[in-house]
Amino acid sequence: MLEYEQALWDQHFRLIAGVDEVGRGCLFGDVVAAAVILPPGRIIEEINDSKKLTASKRERLYEEIMECALAVGIGQVDSATIDKINIKQAARLAMKKAVEQLDVQPDHLLIDAEKIDCDIKQLSIIHGDALSQSIAAASIVAKVTRDRMCLHWDTDFPEYGIAIHKGYATKQHREAILEYGPCPMHRKSFLGKLLNVQEQFLF
C-alpha cells in the first residue's frame, strides 16, 4: 500500500495527499471527497479501500487517520450542481475543493482514477483506493464523513430511508421515490434513467 508513496519519497516529495470521493453512484445528496496527508513513513494497519471494510472498522480507522494526519480536507458538491455539470465533473470539483481545504500545501497528489484541475503535481491511479495507503485513507475519511451526513439528511427526509442505504438505488429507495416523489436533494438527472419515472413526476 506504500509503493506509490515510497516512489515519491525517493524523489524527495514529502507531503503527499491521497484524494478520493464517495457518493458518485447515489440518487440522493452530495458527492463528498477527502484529501489526506499522512506523515512520511507512517503505516496504518488494516487500511484498505473503504468499500471493503465494515462500518465499525471504517469508524475506527477514521479516528486513527484523523489523529495522525498532517492535514485533512473535505470537499462536497450538492445534487443541484451535479445535475447542472454532470457527476464526473462534480466528483472532480469535490476533489479539488478537498485539496483546497488542506491546511498544508501538498507536494504531490495521488488520486483515485481522476485528474484535478490544479497546479500540484499529481498521479491518477486506477483502483488507487486498494493500492495506495494515502488514497485508501481519503476513501475512508470521505465515506465516514458522507455516512454521517446521511444521518442528518435522514432526519430531514425520513420517508426515504437514507440512513440505511445512504442514497444508493436500492429497491427500498426506488420504491420510496415512486411513492413520495423526489425531494430537493435527489439528483433529478439520475432518476429518469434509473427508475424510468415519467417526466412530469420528476419535476
Short mmCIF file of all heavy atoms in Angstrom, two decimals, residues 87-118:
data_model
loop_
_atom_site.label_atom_id
_atom_site.label_comp_id
_atom_site.label_asym_id
_atom_site.label_seq_id
_atom_site.Cartn_x
_atom_site.Cartn_y
_atom_site.Cartn_z
N ILE A 87 -22.05 14.23 -13.09
CA ILE A 87 -21.45 13.64 -11.90
C ILE A 87 -19.93 13.54 -12.01
O ILE A 87 -19.22 13.70 -11.01
CB ILE A 87 -22.07 12.26 -11.59
CG1 ILE A 87 -21.54 11.71 -10.26
CG2 ILE A 87 -21.85 11.28 -12.72
CD1 ILE A 87 -21.80 12.58 -9.05
N LYS A 88 -19.40 13.30 -13.19
CA LYS A 88 -17.95 13.21 -13.33
C LYS A 88 -17.29 14.55 -12.99
O LYS A 88 -16.31 14.60 -12.23
CB LYS A 88 -17.56 12.78 -14.74
CG LYS A 88 -16.05 12.59 -14.92
CD LYS A 88 -15.72 12.02 -16.29
CE LYS A 88 -14.22 11.81 -16.47
NZ LYS A 88 -13.67 10.81 -15.53
N GLN A 89 -17.83 15.62 -13.55
CA GLN A 89 -17.27 16.94 -13.26
C GLN A 89 -17.51 17.33 -11.80
O GLN A 89 -16.67 18.00 -11.18
CB GLN A 89 -17.88 17.99 -14.20
CG GLN A 89 -17.54 17.78 -15.67
CD GLN A 89 -16.05 17.68 -15.92
OE1 GLN A 89 -15.24 18.41 -15.35
NE2 GLN A 89 -15.67 16.72 -16.77
N ALA A 90 -18.63 16.91 -11.24
CA ALA A 90 -18.92 17.21 -9.83
C ALA A 90 -17.95 16.48 -8.92
O ALA A 90 -17.49 17.04 -7.91
CB ALA A 90 -20.36 16.82 -9.50
N ALA A 91 -17.63 15.22 -9.24
CA ALA A 91 -16.67 14.47 -8.44
C ALA A 91 -15.30 15.13 -8.49
O ALA A 91 -14.61 15.27 -7.47
CB ALA A 91 -16.59 13.03 -8.94
N ARG A 92 -14.89 15.56 -9.68
CA ARG A 92 -13.61 16.27 -9.82
C ARG A 92 -13.61 17.57 -9.02
O ARG A 92 -12.60 17.94 -8.39
CB ARG A 92 -13.33 16.57 -11.29
CG ARG A 92 -12.93 15.36 -12.10
CD ARG A 92 -12.62 15.75 -13.53
NE ARG A 92 -12.00 14.65 -14.28
CZ ARG A 92 -11.61 14.75 -15.54
NH1 ARG A 92 -11.79 15.89 -16.20
NH2 ARG A 92 -11.05 13.72 -16.13
N LEU A 93 -14.74 18.29 -9.06
CA LEU A 93 -14.84 19.54 -8.33
C LEU A 93 -14.76 19.30 -6.82
O LEU A 93 -14.10 20.05 -6.09
CB LEU A 93 -16.15 20.25 -8.69
CG LEU A 93 -16.43 21.58 -7.99
CD1 LEU A 93 -15.31 22.58 -8.22
CD2 LEU A 93 -17.77 22.14 -8.45
N ALA A 94 -15.43 18.26 -6.34
CA ALA A 94 -15.37 17.93 -4.91
C ALA A 94 -13.93 17.61 -4.50
O ALA A 94 -13.47 18.02 -3.43
CB ALA A 94 -16.29 16.75 -4.60
N MET A 95 -13.21 16.87 -5.35
CA MET A 95 -11.81 16.56 -5.06
C MET A 95 -10.96 17.83 -5.01
O MET A 95 -10.11 17.99 -4.12
CB MET A 95 -11.27 15.60 -6.13
CG MET A 95 -11.80 14.18 -6.04
SD MET A 95 -11.14 13.18 -7.40
CE MET A 95 -11.57 11.53 -6.83
N LYS A 96 -11.17 18.71 -5.96
CA LYS A 96 -10.43 19.97 -5.98
C LYS A 96 -10.70 20.78 -4.70
O LYS A 96 -9.78 21.33 -4.09
CB LYS A 96 -10.82 20.79 -7.21
CG LYS A 96 -10.08 22.12 -7.33
CD LYS A 96 -10.51 22.89 -8.57
CE LYS A 96 -9.76 24.21 -8.68
NZ LYS A 96 -10.18 24.99 -9.88
N LYS A 97 -11.98 20.83 -4.30
CA LYS A 97 -12.33 21.55 -3.07
C LYS A 97 -11.66 20.92 -1.86
O LYS A 97 -11.22 21.63 -0.95
CB LYS A 97 -13.85 21.55 -2.88
CG LYS A 97 -14.61 22.44 -3.85
CD LYS A 97 -16.09 22.42 -3.53
CE LYS A 97 -16.87 23.41 -4.38
NZ LYS A 97 -18.29 23.49 -3.99
N ALA A 98 -11.59 19.58 -1.83
CA ALA A 98 -10.95 18.90 -0.71
C ALA A 98 -9.48 19.29 -0.62
O ALA A 98 -8.96 19.57 0.48
CB ALA A 98 -11.09 17.38 -0.86
N VAL A 99 -8.79 19.32 -1.74
CA VAL A 99 -7.37 19.71 -1.75
C VAL A 99 -7.22 21.15 -1.29
O VAL A 99 -6.31 21.49 -0.51
CB VAL A 99 -6.77 19.51 -3.16
CG1 VAL A 99 -5.36 20.10 -3.24
CG2 VAL A 99 -6.75 18.02 -3.52
N GLU A 100 -8.13 22.01 -1.73
CA GLU A 100 -8.06 23.43 -1.35
C GLU A 100 -8.32 23.63 0.14
O GLU A 100 -7.91 24.66 0.71
CB GLU A 100 -9.07 24.24 -2.17
CG GLU A 100 -8.70 24.34 -3.64
CD GLU A 100 -9.79 24.96 -4.49
OE1 GLU A 100 -10.95 25.07 -4.02
OE2 GLU A 100 -9.49 25.33 -5.64
N GLN A 101 -8.99 22.68 0.78
CA GLN A 101 -9.28 22.79 2.21
C GLN A 101 -8.13 22.31 3.10
O GLN A 101 -8.20 22.45 4.32
CB GLN A 101 -10.55 22.00 2.54
CG GLN A 101 -11.83 22.62 2.02
CD GLN A 101 -12.08 24.00 2.60
OE1 GLN A 101 -12.01 24.20 3.81
NE2 GLN A 101 -12.34 24.97 1.74
N LEU A 102 -7.10 21.74 2.51
CA LEU A 102 -5.96 21.28 3.30
C LEU A 102 -5.24 22.48 3.94
O LEU A 102 -4.99 23.49 3.28
CB LEU A 102 -4.97 20.51 2.42
CG LEU A 102 -5.42 19.13 1.93
CD1 LEU A 102 -4.48 18.64 0.83
CD2 LEU A 102 -5.46 18.14 3.09
N ASP A 103 -4.88 22.35 5.21
CA ASP A 103 -4.14 23.41 5.90
C ASP A 103 -2.68 23.46 5.47
O ASP A 103 -2.00 24.46 5.70
CB ASP A 103 -4.20 23.20 7.42
CG ASP A 103 -5.60 23.41 7.97
OD1 ASP A 103 -6.39 24.15 7.34
OD2 ASP A 103 -5.92 22.82 9.02
N VAL A 104 -2.21 22.36 4.89
CA VAL A 104 -0.83 22.25 4.44
C VAL A 104 -0.84 22.05 2.93
O VAL A 104 -1.61 21.24 2.42
CB VAL A 104 -0.11 21.07 5.14
CG1 VAL A 104 1.31 20.93 4.63
CG2 VAL A 104 -0.13 21.23 6.65
N GLN A 105 0.01 22.77 2.21
CA GLN A 105 0.08 22.60 0.76
C GLN A 105 0.84 21.31 0.42
O GLN A 105 2.00 21.16 0.78
CB GLN A 105 0.82 23.79 0.13
CG GLN A 105 1.09 23.67 -1.35
CD GLN A 105 -0.12 24.00 -2.20
OE1 GLN A 105 -1.14 24.42 -1.68
NE2 GLN A 105 -0.01 23.82 -3.50
N PRO A 106 0.18 20.37 -0.26
CA PRO A 106 0.88 19.12 -0.60
C PRO A 106 1.90 19.32 -1.72
O PRO A 106 1.76 20.22 -2.56
CB PRO A 106 -0.25 18.20 -1.05
CG PRO A 106 -1.34 19.12 -1.51
CD PRO A 106 -1.23 20.36 -0.69
N ASP A 107 2.94 18.47 -1.72
CA ASP A 107 3.93 18.48 -2.79
C ASP A 107 3.43 17.68 -4.00
O ASP A 107 3.86 17.92 -5.12
CB ASP A 107 5.23 17.82 -2.32
CG ASP A 107 5.84 18.49 -1.12
OD1 ASP A 107 5.75 19.73 -1.04
OD2 ASP A 107 6.39 17.78 -0.26
N HIS A 108 2.58 16.70 -3.73
CA HIS A 108 2.15 15.80 -4.79
C HIS A 108 0.81 15.18 -4.40
O HIS A 108 0.55 14.99 -3.21
CB HIS A 108 3.19 14.69 -5.00
CG HIS A 108 3.18 14.08 -6.37
ND1 HIS A 108 2.13 13.30 -6.84
CD2 HIS A 108 4.09 14.13 -7.36
CE1 HIS A 108 2.41 12.90 -8.06
NE2 HIS A 108 3.60 13.39 -8.42
N LEU A 109 -0.02 14.89 -5.40
CA LEU A 109 -1.31 14.25 -5.17
C LEU A 109 -1.32 12.86 -5.76
O LEU A 109 -0.79 12.62 -6.85
CB LEU A 109 -2.44 15.06 -5.83
CG LEU A 109 -2.56 16.54 -5.51
CD1 LEU A 109 -3.71 17.15 -6.32
CD2 LEU A 109 -2.77 16.78 -4.03
N LEU A 110 -1.91 11.92 -5.03
CA LEU A 110 -2.24 10.60 -5.54
C LEU A 110 -3.76 10.52 -5.56
O LEU A 110 -4.41 10.67 -4.52
CB LEU A 110 -1.66 9.50 -4.65
CG LEU A 110 -0.13 9.40 -4.61
CD1 LEU A 110 0.30 8.33 -3.60
CD2 LEU A 110 0.45 9.09 -5.99
N ILE A 111 -4.34 10.30 -6.73
CA ILE A 111 -5.79 10.43 -6.90
C ILE A 111 -6.36 9.13 -7.43
O ILE A 111 -5.78 8.49 -8.31
CB ILE A 111 -6.12 11.57 -7.90
CG1 ILE A 111 -5.38 12.85 -7.50
CG2 ILE A 111 -7.62 11.82 -7.94
CD1 ILE A 111 -5.40 13.91 -8.58
N ASP A 112 -7.51 8.75 -6.91
CA ASP A 112 -8.17 7.53 -7.36
C ASP A 112 -8.84 7.76 -8.70
O ASP A 112 -9.95 8.31 -8.77
CB ASP A 112 -9.19 7.06 -6.32
CG ASP A 112 -9.79 5.71 -6.68
OD1 ASP A 112 -9.05 4.84 -7.15
OD2 ASP A 112 -11.01 5.54 -6.50
N ALA A 113 -8.15 7.36 -9.77
CA ALA A 113 -8.72 7.29 -11.12
C ALA A 113 -9.32 8.60 -11.64
O ALA A 113 -10.27 8.58 -12.42
CB ALA A 113 -9.79 6.19 -11.18
N GLU A 114 -8.76 9.73 -11.23
CA GLU A 114 -9.25 11.02 -11.70
C GLU A 114 -8.10 11.99 -11.86
O GLU A 114 -6.96 11.73 -11.46
CB GLU A 114 -10.29 11.61 -10.73
CG GLU A 114 -11.71 11.17 -10.99
CD GLU A 114 -12.28 11.65 -12.32
OE1 GLU A 114 -11.56 12.38 -13.07
OE2 GLU A 114 -13.42 11.28 -12.65
N LYS A 115 -8.40 13.15 -12.46
CA LYS A 115 -7.46 14.26 -12.53
C LYS A 115 -8.14 15.48 -11.94
O LYS A 115 -9.35 15.66 -12.09
CB LYS A 115 -7.05 14.54 -13.97
CG LYS A 115 -6.23 13.43 -14.62
CD LYS A 115 -5.63 13.88 -15.94
CE LYS A 115 -4.54 14.92 -15.71
NZ LYS A 115 -3.84 15.29 -16.97
N ILE A 116 -7.36 16.31 -11.27
CA ILE A 116 -7.89 17.50 -10.63
C ILE A 116 -7.32 18.73 -11.32
O ILE A 116 -6.12 18.77 -11.65
CB ILE A 116 -7.53 17.53 -9.13
CG1 ILE A 116 -8.14 16.33 -8.41
CG2 ILE A 116 -8.02 18.83 -8.48
CD1 ILE A 116 -7.74 16.22 -6.96
N ASP A 117 -8.15 19.72 -11.53
CA ASP A 117 -7.73 20.96 -12.16
C ASP A 117 -6.98 21.84 -11.15
O ASP A 117 -7.58 22.68 -10.49
CB ASP A 117 -8.94 21.70 -12.72
CG ASP A 117 -8.57 22.99 -13.43
OD1 ASP A 117 -7.38 23.13 -13.81
OD2 ASP A 117 -9.45 23.86 -13.59
N CYS A 118 -5.69 21.59 -11.01
CA CYS A 118 -4.86 22.40 -10.13
C CYS A 118 -3.40 22.28 -10.59
O CYS A 118 -3.08 21.46 -11.44
CB CYS A 118 -5.01 21.98 -8.66
SG CYS A 118 -4.31 20.36 -8.29
#
